[in-house]
Amino acid sequence: MDPSCSQCIKGTVHAGQPLGTEEKIHGLDTYVIGNRTNPRAIIVVYSDIFGLALPNNKLIADAYAKSGEYLVYLPDFFEGDPVRLKFADVAIPVDAAKQSTFAKYTGLLSEMPALVKWFMRHKDGPTNKVCMDFLQALRRATPKSQKIGMVGFCWGGRYALRAGLESNMIEMEGKKVPLVDAVVALHPSNLAFPGDVEDVVVPTTYGWGLEDTSVKIEQKGKVEELHAKAKNAGKKLPETVHKIYKPGRHGFAVRGNPDDPQERACLEDSVTQVLDWFKRWL
């Protein structure tokens, strides 16, 4: 664990240390946990920008695998280059009430040069390819009888949504199939409208934070408007469900304050949202 992250293991309701292992799966280092023998389905997790370095992301994967039904993959889509954990303590502190405005903005200022360089190294085109290449390989290697679900958090939410688009379907045995069978997107950032949400072909559920200052709640309305227009034009869309979390500050599904009843509820309910959705569709 990176000693620079003073609260890495905090901000999660999932106690203890991660129980899975890291292995090479379809070309990417991947945290693996769950049923390897006869899983009900496979769950792929695309984390926030802190990737495998943030234990919370692994603990969430452990929570999905706890029932023994699923095989869970948390790939390192950042290929060994996640955002530094120092930025997590500044941008999404576990207890925001204890962070002064001065500390927040001086911290953000000091981390900004490194963050800008990171964004330059992780432009959308190459980033998208890494994700879709992994999913294509996984889909081709997975028996037709076994379904795949994908959940994305923040940065990863966009790519989880794309996995469920018609434009990313692949041909297998003369038939077009989606890369995944169901999608969950929690506080998905950097969405491009209409491209990231318009041509969805698999059941999808979103989780939005009412007080999220990074992923505005107004984006929920944009998604709903686009889908309503598509339906009015005669397009048949799969089921889509939106859930709003209160207070739902940014990162509510990964790094909230478990000592705050409302934030703890966000952490717990977001796990329930994922598992309930996959129970229906996988």
Side-chain angles (χ1 to χ4, degrees):
M1 187 183 302
D2 188 336
S4 67
C5 181
S6 62
Q7 296 180 309
C8 288
I9 206 71
K10 297 182 181 178
T12 175
V13 296
H14 316 300
Q17 296 296 322
L19 300 175
T21 58
E22 291 188 27
E23 306 170 25
K24 188 75 74 173
I25 305 290
H26 301 306
L28 295 180
D29 291 332
T30 302
Y31 178 77
V32 183
I33 183 77
N35 185 342
R36 297 170 182 262
T37 305
N38 58 345
R40 167 182 177 152
I42 296 172
I43 296 175
V44 178
V45 182
Y46 198 140
S47 73
D48 58 16
I49 56 178
F50 306 107
L52 272 63
L54 184 67
N56 295 24
N57 290 321
K58 294 179 179 179
L59 292 169
I60 289 169
D62 287 4
Y64 298 158
K66 188 176 181 181
S67 70
E69 292 187 280
Y70 300 108
L71 175 60
V72 184
Y73 291 150
L74 170 62
D76 179 14
F77 288 117
F78 305 113
E79 298 184 295
D81 184 34
V83 168
R84 299 195 307 181
L85 290 175
K86 282 184 178 180
F87 184 69
D89 277 341
V90 174
I92 45 172
V94 171
D95 190 346
K98 294 181 179 180
Q99 183 187 48
S100 69
T101 300
F102 177 78
K104 176 179 180 178
Y105 287 104
T106 54
L108 288 173
L109 187 63
S110 67
E111 289 297 313
M112 197 54 61
L115 188 63
V116 169
K117 291 178 181 178
W118 186 88
F119 278 116
M120 293 299 293
R121 295 194 301 272
H122 294 270
K123 293 183 178 180
D124 181 50
T127 298
N128 187 72
K129 186 177 187 304
V130 170
C131 179
M132 299 307 150
D133 284 354
F134 177 91
L135 293 174
Q136 287 180 22
L138 177 63
R139 175 56 92 187
R140 295 189 189 281
T142 302
K144 288 192 298 183
S145 60
Q146 191 168 72
K147 293 187 176 182
I148 302 170
M150 187 167 185
V151 54
F153 298 85
C154 190
W155 174 278
R158 178 184 194 181
Y159 299 99
L161 290 169
R162 288 181 180 179
L165 297 181
E166 183 177 9
S167 59
N168 283 317
M169 295 174 73
I170 60 173
E171 187 168 320
M172 292 180 62
E173 299 181 1
K175 180 182 178 181
K176 284 278 191 178
V177 297
L179 292 178
V180 299
D181 299 289
V183 167
V184 184
L186 297 166
H187 41 87
S189 63
N190 304 311
L191 292 183
F193 295 100
D196 286 344
V197 302
E198 190 172 42
D199 294 319
V200 60
V201 292
V202 302
T204 302
T205 184
Y206 294 78
W208 307 97
L210 187 62
E211 297 179 11
D212 193 333
T213 57
S214 297
V215 180
K216 302 291 187 181
I217 189 63
E218 288 78 12
Q219 293 196 42
K220 170 180 174 289
K222 289 184 179 181
V223 175
E224 291 173 319
E225 182 181 357
L226 285 166
H227 287 177
K229 286 181 178 178
K231 288 179 180 179
N232 290 337
K235 185 176 178 63
K236 187 177 181 180
L237 295 177
E239 182 171 344
T240 301
V241 173
H242 296 267
K243 180 177 175 61
I244 298 175
Y245 289 84
K246 302 176 183 179
R249 66 185 177 97
H250 192 60
F252 64 81
V254 179
R255 204 162 185 266
N257 181 2
D259 295 324
D260 180 289
Q262 285 187 306
E263 292 204 4
R264 184 180 183 88
C266 289
L267 288 163
E268 293 175 338
D269 291 350
S270 61
V271 172
T272 301
Q273 181 183 359
V274 171
L275 292 176
D276 283 353
W277 195 250
F278 289 154
K279 184 176 182 180
R280 281 190 64 190
W281 298 107
L282 300 184

